[in-house]
Amino acid sequence: MNKLSALKIYKGLLDFAWYGFILFFTFLLIQNVYSLFAQGELSNLVAMKFPVELELPRFDLNKLGDSYTFITKAPANVLLELSNIKLSTLTNPFILLSLFSTLIGFGLALYQLSLLRALLKDVIEKRIFITENVKRLRLIGIVELIYIPVGACLYLLFTYFFANQPILDQSLTYAPNYWELFSSLPHALEYLIFAGIFSFGLQLKQEQDLTI
């Protein structure tokens, strides 16, 4: 398999991810619109998971039955899954922020995929060291960096809502892991480094064209 064939396979995988992403989101949207009108709730969401600490002294264990013995020396760490939203709570700021953060994630992921698809298309057509590819790689790296401050702001907002919104059980304390936000940092540096390499390659190409 030559290198061009391998690039075409990668391009095909990116196209599959791109169209699959769009089809999945469209199907999810149709499902939720139907659920909203038929059942009065959004019940087909991509479940959002919130890491929380459960304060056992304030939590009613009786509703869990008499068959369990709970032994703990610290607040229990659990995941709170937001998968059903009643129509009556749809305008709650916490719910709106949750939906908005999901849309942001979808939007940024699609934007990055579109940039990668355009980049590979140019590379396959042997237009490698061009200004557009440098910009695309730089933009992908910047988006990866944006995840960090945006994620931190969302964590702070969710912490506020968990503490102040009556829609949630007051025995729950939002406990996000801020360190996980930095998982996008290595990817950002990789794309920015490749952007620098492509920029250097573009400069050499322009100098070579001038000498011909």
Side-chain angles (χ1 to χ4, degrees), residues 145-168:
L145 287 176
I146 287 174
Y147 280 119
I148 299 174
V150 169
C153 290
L154 288 174
Y155 281 178
L156 289 172
L157 287 172
F158 282 130
T159 300
Y160 169 80
F161 284 123
F162 266 78
N164 296 280
Q165 288 296 313
I167 192 175
L168 300 168

PDB file of all heavy atoms in Angstrom, residues 145-168:
ATOM      1  N   LEU A 145      -6.786  24.087  22.770  1.00  0.00           N
ATOM      2  CA  LEU A 145      -6.451  24.926  23.925  1.00  0.00           C
ATOM      3  C   LEU A 145      -7.702  25.568  24.522  1.00  0.00           C
ATOM      4  O   LEU A 145      -7.797  25.746  25.743  1.00  0.00           O
ATOM      5  CB  LEU A 145      -5.458  26.017  23.510  1.00  0.00           C
ATOM      6  CG  LEU A 145      -4.022  25.578  23.238  1.00  0.00           C
ATOM      7  CD1 LEU A 145      -3.195  26.769  22.755  1.00  0.00           C
ATOM      8  CD2 LEU A 145      -3.382  24.983  24.496  1.00  0.00           C
ATOM      9  N   ILE A 146      -8.657  25.911  23.662  1.00  0.00           N
ATOM     10  CA  ILE A 146      -9.887  26.556  24.137  1.00  0.00           C
ATOM     11  C   ILE A 146     -10.669  25.651  25.078  1.00  0.00           C
ATOM     12  O   ILE A 146     -11.353  26.121  25.990  1.00  0.00           O
ATOM     13  CB  ILE A 146     -10.753  26.991  22.935  1.00  0.00           C
ATOM     14  CG1 ILE A 146     -10.114  28.207  22.253  1.00  0.00           C
ATOM     15  CG2 ILE A 146     -12.187  27.320  23.359  1.00  0.00           C
ATOM     16  CD1 ILE A 146     -10.812  28.628  20.983  1.00  0.00           C
ATOM     17  N   TYR A 147     -10.556  24.335  24.863  1.00  0.00           N
ATOM     18  CA  TYR A 147     -11.271  23.400  25.731  1.00  0.00           C
ATOM     19  C   TYR A 147     -10.931  23.625  27.207  1.00  0.00           C
ATOM     20  O   TYR A 147     -11.773  23.399  28.079  1.00  0.00           O
ATOM     21  CB  TYR A 147     -10.920  21.951  25.359  1.00  0.00           C
ATOM     22  CG  TYR A 147     -11.661  21.420  24.162  1.00  0.00           C
ATOM     23  CD1 TYR A 147     -10.974  21.010  23.028  1.00  0.00           C
ATOM     24  CD2 TYR A 147     -13.048  21.312  24.174  1.00  0.00           C
ATOM     25  CE1 TYR A 147     -11.643  20.512  21.926  1.00  0.00           C
ATOM     26  CE2 TYR A 147     -13.728  20.807  23.076  1.00  0.00           C
ATOM     27  CZ  TYR A 147     -13.024  20.402  21.952  1.00  0.00           C
ATOM     28  OH  TYR A 147     -13.692  19.912  20.864  1.00  0.00           O
ATOM     29  N   ILE A 148      -9.711  24.051  27.498  1.00  0.00           N
ATOM     30  CA  ILE A 148      -9.270  24.176  28.890  1.00  0.00           C
ATOM     31  C   ILE A 148     -10.004  25.312  29.612  1.00  0.00           C
ATOM     32  O   ILE A 148     -10.669  25.066  30.628  1.00  0.00           O
ATOM     33  CB  ILE A 148      -7.741  24.353  28.962  1.00  0.00           C
ATOM     34  CG1 ILE A 148      -7.040  23.122  28.359  1.00  0.00           C
ATOM     35  CG2 ILE A 148      -7.292  24.557  30.416  1.00  0.00           C
ATOM     36  CD1 ILE A 148      -5.534  23.252  28.261  1.00  0.00           C
ATOM     37  N   PRO A 149      -9.924  26.580  29.128  1.00  0.00           N
ATOM     38  CA  PRO A 149     -10.647  27.644  29.850  1.00  0.00           C
ATOM     39  C   PRO A 149     -12.156  27.491  29.779  1.00  0.00           C
ATOM     40  O   PRO A 149     -12.857  27.796  30.757  1.00  0.00           O
ATOM     41  CB  PRO A 149     -10.177  28.929  29.155  1.00  0.00           C
ATOM     42  CG  PRO A 149      -9.703  28.503  27.816  1.00  0.00           C
ATOM     43  CD  PRO A 149      -9.146  27.133  27.993  1.00  0.00           C
ATOM     44  N   VAL A 150     -12.688  27.031  28.641  1.00  0.00           N
ATOM     45  CA  VAL A 150     -14.138  26.847  28.520  1.00  0.00           C
ATOM     46  C   VAL A 150     -14.603  25.773  29.502  1.00  0.00           C
ATOM     47  O   VAL A 150     -15.614  25.940  30.203  1.00  0.00           O
ATOM     48  CB  VAL A 150     -14.528  26.475  27.082  1.00  0.00           C
ATOM     49  CG1 VAL A 150     -15.987  26.030  27.016  1.00  0.00           C
ATOM     50  CG2 VAL A 150     -14.303  27.648  26.147  1.00  0.00           C
ATOM     51  N   GLY A 151     -13.861  24.669  29.562  1.00  0.00           N
ATOM     52  CA  GLY A 151     -14.206  23.604  30.504  1.00  0.00           C
ATOM     53  C   GLY A 151     -14.135  24.075  31.944  1.00  0.00           C
ATOM     54  O   GLY A 151     -15.002  23.736  32.760  1.00  0.00           O
ATOM     55  N   ALA A 152     -13.121  24.869  32.273  1.00  0.00           N
ATOM     56  CA  ALA A 152     -12.986  25.381  33.642  1.00  0.00           C
ATOM     57  C   ALA A 152     -14.170  26.287  33.996  1.00  0.00           C
ATOM     58  O   ALA A 152     -14.716  26.206  35.108  1.00  0.00           O
ATOM     59  CB  ALA A 152     -11.671  26.142  33.787  1.00  0.00           C
ATOM     60  N   CYS A 153     -14.582  27.139  33.053  1.00  0.00           N
ATOM     61  CA  CYS A 153     -15.743  28.018  33.294  1.00  0.00           C
ATOM     62  C   CYS A 153     -17.015  27.205  33.505  1.00  0.00           C
ATOM     63  O   CYS A 153     -17.824  27.508  34.402  1.00  0.00           O
ATOM     64  CB  CYS A 153     -15.925  28.983  32.131  1.00  0.00           C
ATOM     65  SG  CYS A 153     -14.643  30.252  32.007  1.00  0.00           S
ATOM     66  N   LEU A 154     -17.203  26.168  32.697  1.00  0.00           N
ATOM     67  CA  LEU A 154     -18.381  25.315  32.850  1.00  0.00           C
ATOM     68  C   LEU A 154     -18.358  24.594  34.191  1.00  0.00           C
ATOM     69  O   LEU A 154     -19.395  24.474  34.860  1.00  0.00           O
ATOM     70  CB  LEU A 154     -18.451  24.303  31.703  1.00  0.00           C
ATOM     71  CG  LEU A 154     -18.815  24.857  30.328  1.00  0.00           C
ATOM     72  CD1 LEU A 154     -18.709  23.777  29.266  1.00  0.00           C
ATOM     73  CD2 LEU A 154     -20.216  25.442  30.340  1.00  0.00           C
ATOM     74  N   TYR A 155     -17.191  24.119  34.605  1.00  0.00           N
ATOM     75  CA  TYR A 155     -17.075  23.450  35.910  1.00  0.00           C
ATOM     76  C   TYR A 155     -17.470  24.401  37.039  1.00  0.00           C
ATOM     77  O   TYR A 155     -18.168  24.017  37.974  1.00  0.00           O
ATOM     78  CB  TYR A 155     -15.647  22.956  36.123  1.00  0.00           C
ATOM     79  CG  TYR A 155     -15.305  21.670  35.402  1.00  0.00           C
ATOM     80  CD1 TYR A 155     -14.026  21.127  35.470  1.00  0.00           C
ATOM     81  CD2 TYR A 155     -16.259  20.993  34.655  1.00  0.00           C
ATOM     82  CE1 TYR A 155     -13.712  19.942  34.809  1.00  0.00           C
ATOM     83  CE2 TYR A 155     -15.951  19.824  33.990  1.00  0.00           C
ATOM     84  CZ  TYR A 155     -14.671  19.300  34.069  1.00  0.00           C
ATOM     85  OH  TYR A 155     -14.366  18.139  33.418  1.00  0.00           O
ATOM     86  N   LEU A 156     -17.009  25.653  36.943  1.00  0.00           N
ATOM     87  CA  LEU A 156     -17.334  26.632  37.983  1.00  0.00           C
ATOM     88  C   LEU A 156     -18.834  26.929  38.000  1.00  0.00           C
ATOM     89  O   LEU A 156     -19.446  27.045  39.069  1.00  0.00           O
ATOM     90  CB  LEU A 156     -16.540  27.917  37.758  1.00  0.00           C
ATOM     91  CG  LEU A 156     -15.029  27.835  38.028  1.00  0.00           C
ATOM     92  CD1 LEU A 156     -14.339  29.117  37.586  1.00  0.00           C
ATOM     93  CD2 LEU A 156     -14.757  27.572  39.511  1.00  0.00           C
ATOM     94  N   LEU A 157     -19.436  27.042  36.827  1.00  0.00           N
ATOM     95  CA  LEU A 157     -20.870  27.304  36.748  1.00  0.00           C
ATOM     96  C   LEU A 157     -21.674  26.128  37.291  1.00  0.00           C
ATOM     97  O   LEU A 157     -22.660  26.306  38.021  1.00  0.00           O
ATOM     98  CB  LEU A 157     -21.274  27.606  35.307  1.00  0.00           C
ATOM     99  CG  LEU A 157     -20.853  28.969  34.766  1.00  0.00           C
ATOM    100  CD1 LEU A 157     -21.131  29.072  33.273  1.00  0.00           C
ATOM    101  CD2 LEU A 157     -21.584  30.086  35.510  1.00  0.00           C
ATOM    102  N   PHE A 158     -21.263  24.903  36.935  1.00  0.00           N
ATOM    103  CA  PHE A 158     -21.960  23.728  37.444  1.00  0.00           C
ATOM    104  C   PHE A 158     -21.815  23.627  38.965  1.00  0.00           C
ATOM    105  O   PHE A 158     -22.750  23.215  39.660  1.00  0.00           O
ATOM    106  CB  PHE A 158     -21.434  22.457  36.774  1.00  0.00           C
ATOM    107  CG  PHE A 158     -21.959  22.235  35.389  1.00  0.00           C
ATOM    108  CD1 PHE A 158     -21.103  21.948  34.343  1.00  0.00           C
ATOM    109  CD2 PHE A 158     -23.316  22.317  35.129  1.00  0.00           C
ATOM    110  CE1 PHE A 158     -21.582  21.744  33.064  1.00  0.00           C
ATOM    111  CE2 PHE A 158     -23.816  22.113  33.845  1.00  0.00           C
ATOM    112  CZ  PHE A 158     -22.944  21.827  32.807  1.00  0.00           C
ATOM    113  N   THR A 159     -20.639  23.995  39.478  1.00  0.00           N
ATOM    114  CA  THR A 159     -20.446  23.992  40.931  1.00  0.00           C
ATOM    115  C   THR A 159     -21.423  24.952  41.601  1.00  0.00           C
ATOM    116  O   THR A 159     -22.015  24.630  42.639  1.00  0.00           O
ATOM    117  CB  THR A 159     -18.999  24.397  41.278  1.00  0.00           C
ATOM    118  OG1 THR A 159     -18.086  23.467  40.672  1.00  0.00           O
ATOM    119  CG2 THR A 159     -18.772  24.404  42.780  1.00  0.00           C
ATOM    120  N   TYR A 160     -21.605  26.112  40.998  1.00  0.00           N
ATOM    121  CA  TYR A 160     -22.550  27.101  41.542  1.00  0.00           C
ATOM    122  C   TYR A 160     -23.979  26.554  41.524  1.00  0.00           C
ATOM    123  O   TYR A 160     -24.713  26.664  42.515  1.00  0.00           O
ATOM    124  CB  TYR A 160     -22.473  28.394  40.735  1.00  0.00           C
ATOM    125  CG  TYR A 160     -23.589  29.362  41.062  1.00  0.00           C
ATOM    126  CD1 TYR A 160     -23.524  30.169  42.199  1.00  0.00           C
ATOM    127  CD2 TYR A 160     -24.715  29.459  40.243  1.00  0.00           C
ATOM    128  CE1 TYR A 160     -24.551  31.050  42.502  1.00  0.00           C
ATOM    129  CE2 TYR A 160     -25.742  30.335  40.538  1.00  0.00           C
ATOM    130  CZ  TYR A 160     -25.650  31.125  41.677  1.00  0.00           C
ATOM    131  OH  TYR A 160     -26.676  31.983  41.979  1.00  0.00           O
ATOM    132  N   PHE A 161     -24.372  25.960  40.390  1.00  0.00           N
ATOM    133  CA  PHE A 161     -25.745  25.475  40.273  1.00  0.00           C
ATOM    134  C   PHE A 161     -26.021  24.295  41.207  1.00  0.00           C
ATOM    135  O   PHE A 161     -27.108  24.172  41.756  1.00  0.00           O
ATOM    136  CB  PHE A 161     -26.047  25.080  38.829  1.00  0.00           C
ATOM    137  CG  PHE A 161     -26.276  26.255  37.930  1.00  0.00           C
ATOM    138  CD1 PHE A 161     -25.509  26.448  36.791  1.00  0.00           C
ATOM    139  CD2 PHE A 161     -27.257  27.188  38.220  1.00  0.00           C
ATOM    140  CE1 PHE A 161     -25.721  27.539  35.968  1.00  0.00           C
ATOM    141  CE2 PHE A 161     -27.481  28.289  37.402  1.00  0.00           C
ATOM    142  CZ  PHE A 161     -26.707  28.461  36.278  1.00  0.00           C
ATOM    143  N   PHE A 162     -25.023  23.431  41.388  1.00  0.00           N
ATOM    144  CA  PHE A 162     -25.213  22.313  42.307  1.00  0.00           C
ATOM    145  C   PHE A 162     -25.432  22.821  43.729  1.00  0.00           C
ATOM    146  O   PHE A 162     -26.150  22.212  44.519  1.00  0.00           O
ATOM    147  CB  PHE A 162     -24.010  21.367  42.274  1.00  0.00           C
ATOM    148  CG  PHE A 162     -24.175  20.212  41.335  1.00  0.00           C
ATOM    149  CD1 PHE A 162     -24.007  20.373  39.977  1.00  0.00           C
ATOM    150  CD2 PHE A 162     -24.507  18.958  41.814  1.00  0.00           C
ATOM    151  CE1 PHE A 162     -24.168  19.309  39.104  1.00  0.00           C
ATOM    152  CE2 PHE A 162     -24.671  17.891  40.950  1.00  0.00           C
ATOM    153  CZ  PHE A 162     -24.500  18.063  39.589  1.00  0.00           C
ATOM    154  N   ALA A 163     -24.798  23.928  44.056  1.00  0.00           N
ATOM    155  CA  ALA A 163     -24.904  24.457  45.420  1.00  0.00           C
ATOM    156  C   ALA A 163     -26.151  25.304  45.633  1.00  0.00           C
ATOM    157  O   ALA A 163     -26.631  25.428  46.759  1.00  0.00           O
ATOM    158  CB  ALA A 163     -23.661  25.282  45.745  1.00  0.00           C
ATOM    159  N   ASN A 164     -26.704  25.874  44.555  1.00  0.00           N
ATOM    160  CA  ASN A 164     -27.761  26.873  44.733  1.00  0.00           C
ATOM    161  C   ASN A 164     -29.089  26.554  44.066  1.00  0.00           C
ATOM    162  O   ASN A 164     -30.075  27.224  44.344  1.00  0.00           O
ATOM    163  CB  ASN A 164     -27.276  28.233  44.212  1.00  0.00           C
ATOM    164  CG  ASN A 164     -26.096  28.761  44.999  1.00  0.00           C
ATOM    165  OD1 ASN A 164     -26.249  29.311  46.080  1.00  0.00           O
ATOM    166  ND2 ASN A 164     -24.903  28.592  44.444  1.00  0.00           N
ATOM    167  N   GLN A 165     -29.137  25.567  43.178  1.00  0.00           N
ATOM    168  CA  GLN A 165     -30.382  25.292  42.482  1.00  0.00           C
ATOM    169  C   GLN A 165     -31.213  24.243  43.212  1.00  0.00           C
ATOM    170  O   GLN A 165     -30.719  23.163  43.522  1.00  0.00           O
ATOM    171  CB  GLN A 165     -30.098  24.812  41.051  1.00  0.00           C
ATOM    172  CG  GLN A 165     -29.607  25.918  40.138  1.00  0.00           C
ATOM    173  CD  GLN A 165     -30.649  27.005  39.943  1.00  0.00           C
ATOM    174  OE1 GLN A 165     -31.809  26.731  39.683  1.00  0.00           O
ATOM    175  NE2 GLN A 165     -30.227  28.250  40.070  1.00  0.00           N
ATOM    176  N   PRO A 166     -32.480  24.514  43.478  1.00  0.00           N
ATOM    177  CA  PRO A 166     -33.320  23.558  44.202  1.00  0.00           C
ATOM    178  C   PRO A 166     -33.666  22.306  43.407  1.00  0.00           C
ATOM    179  O   PRO A 166     -34.176  21.345  43.966  1.00  0.00           O
ATOM    180  CB  PRO A 166     -34.591  24.367  44.489  1.00  0.00           C
ATOM    181  CG  PRO A 166     -34.623  25.414  43.432  1.00  0.00           C
ATOM    182  CD  PRO A 166     -33.188  25.757  43.164  1.00  0.00           C
ATOM    183  N   ILE A 167     -33.365  22.310  42.084  1.00  0.00           N
ATOM    184  CA  ILE A 167     -33.676  21.138  41.279  1.00  0.00           C
ATOM    185  C   ILE A 167     -32.817  19.940  41.689  1.00  0.00           C
ATOM    186  O   ILE A 167     -33.140  18.794  41.421  1.00  0.00           O
ATOM    187  CB  ILE A 167     -33.476  21.448  39.781  1.00  0.00           C
ATOM    188  CG1 ILE A 167     -34.069  20.328  38.914  1.00  0.00           C
ATOM    189  CG2 ILE A 167     -32.012  21.642  39.439  1.00  0.00           C
ATOM    190  CD1 ILE A 167     -34.027  20.622  37.435  1.00  0.00           C
ATOM    191  N   LEU A 168     -31.710  20.212  42.361  1.00  0.00           N
ATOM    192  CA  LEU A 168     -30.776  19.157  42.743  1.00  0.00           C
ATOM    193  C   LEU A 168     -30.847  18.881  44.236  1.00  0.00           C
ATOM    194  O   LEU A 168     -31.190  19.743  45.031  1.00  0.00           O
ATOM    195  CB  LEU A 168     -29.344  19.554  42.348  1.00  0.00           C
ATOM    196  CG  LEU A 168     -29.140  19.787  40.847  1.00  0.00           C
ATOM    197  CD1 LEU A 168     -27.804  20.443  40.604  1.00  0.00           C
ATOM    198  CD2 LEU A 168     -29.252  18.486  40.086  1.00  0.00           C
TER     199      LEU A 168
END
